[in-house]
Amino acid sequence: MTNSRSRIENPRSHELPHYQALLDGTDWASLATPRGTGDALPTALARILSPDPVVRSAATDDALREVTHQNTIYEATVPVALYVAAILHHPAIAAVDSGHDADMPRHRPTLVRLLEWLSATAYDADDECVAHGERHYGEDFLSEYEAMRAFRDLRPAIFSAVHSHLGHDNAEVRDAAFIAAIPLAEHPVLTAHRTELVGHARRLLATSTDRYNRDRVLDAMKAWGHDTSDLENADDIAARERYARLKAERDS
């Protein structure tokens, strides 16, 4: 740690720092990643805001790859998640571009990719993961897992950025934002949002055929105490029965 830069930018749990202050105020080289330290992250993160969709796509790959490995929350994951949340409304990100022209294959919108990464990271630190860790490593699992604990503490700040995209005009963005909101809303100060999220859940189940998204939403609805029998279609029932068979085979 230096005198002028904090090792990890640590705002209050309900506030997002400005993305540039986070980029400049974090000692990235001191933070662990799956491949060493985060010294390459500032350059990649800054390039995500490029006006060029090709540069933006490559930078997104580079930055997120640095902190994504085996469903683990690393030290560098926390400021990267805050940075990603803080740029969701940046003009270069908020405009859902097609990312292609006649000579270039389509790139998925950066906004969707960032929301999906936030979602995956939030699921890697959700209550189920904590319970699993405590069963295998003891009751001190979370208290000793500083990076996961730090991410979980900042869920309200990340949720605030994700929440505003729940009403986005683009259905792909809306769905990605909602799937990210589900694990973030496990934080105690966010449970009041679940009533609102139920409405989004019903909309997604009425319109989406994405198997991953439907599974996440149905699991959330059941966890929140809602009967989902009138929301399931034949594919949902078949998937549930298949998962049950696989679980029984593993358990046996």
Side-chain angles (χ1 to χ4, degrees):
M1 182 183 296
T2 67
N3 292 331
S4 60
R5 289 157 64 88
S6 62
R7 190 159 179 267
I8 302 176
E9 184 73 19
N10 189 25
R12 288 190 292 176
S13 63
H14 61 286
E15 295 179 349
L16 274 175
H18 188 275
Y19 66 87
Q20 193 62 51
L22 180 61
L23 201 64
D24 296 338
T26 301
D27 188 1
W28 297 96
S30 74
L31 301 178
T33 72
R35 299 165 184 83
T37 66
D39 54 330
L41 281 167
T43 300
L45 291 170
R47 291 174 69 238
I48 294 177
L49 299 179
S50 169
D52 185 332
V54 177
V55 174
R56 196 159 59 240
S57 178
T60 301
D61 288 340
D62 291 343
L64 301 186
R65 186 186 305 118
E66 283 295 308
V67 290
T68 304
H69 183 63
Q70 294 185 340
N71 308 101
T72 301
I73 308 297
Y74 296 88
E75 286 181 331
T77 305
V78 178
V80 169
L82 286 173
Y83 181 88
V84 167
I87 65 173
L88 291 181
H89 290 281
H90 188 282
I93 306 299
V96 182
D97 58 271
S98 61
H100 72 285
D101 58 26
D103 301 315
M104 184 172 65
R106 183 184 186 275
H107 292 272
R108 297 181 68 235
T110 306
L111 177 55
V112 172
R113 296 180 63 196
L114 295 179
L115 285 167
E116 289 178 345
W117 181 81
L118 285 173
S119 173
T121 305
Y123 276 111
D124 289 340
D126 68 2
D127 292 349
E128 183 178 353
C129 286
V130 173
H132 177 83
E134 289 176 343
R135 286 195 300 271
H136 287 80
Y137 303 107
E139 294 181 357
D140 293 334
F141 168 75
L142 190 58
S143 62
E144 295 176 355
Y145 196 164
E146 182 179 353
M148 179 182 282
R149 191 172 70 252
F151 179 88
R152 286 170 60 85
D153 288 345
L154 292 167
R155 286 176 293 176
I158 298 171
F159 182 87
S160 69
V162 169
H163 179 269
S164 58
H165 290 292
L166 293 176
H168 199 281
D169 292 339
N170 182 287
E172 193 176 13
V173 174
R174 286 198 307 271
D175 289 354
F178 175 56
I179 298 302
I182 291 172
L184 293 170
E186 289 182 345
H187 192 285
V189 305
L190 299 175
T191 55
H193 286 275
R194 291 180 185 174
T195 300
E196 172 196 1
L197 294 179
V198 167
H200 292 285
R202 292 183 178 277
R203 174 198 53 75
L204 185 146
L205 291 171
T207 58
S208 175
T209 59
D210 185 282
R211 179 74 268 145
Y212 175 88
N213 287 351
R214 293 187 68 87
D215 286 344
R216 289 299 196 188
V217 173
L218 288 167
D219 287 346
M221 290 283 281
K222 292 170 185 175
W224 297 341
H226 293 271
D227 182 1
T228 62
S229 57
D230 63 330
L231 302 173
E232 292 182 319
N233 58 30
D235 289 338
D236 297 327
I237 296 170
R240 173 159 48 81
E241 292 174 348
R242 183 170 64 254
Y243 299 151
R245 287 196 302 272
L246 290 173
K247 183 179 185 304
E249 291 171 4
R250 288 196 303 268
D251 291 345
S252 64

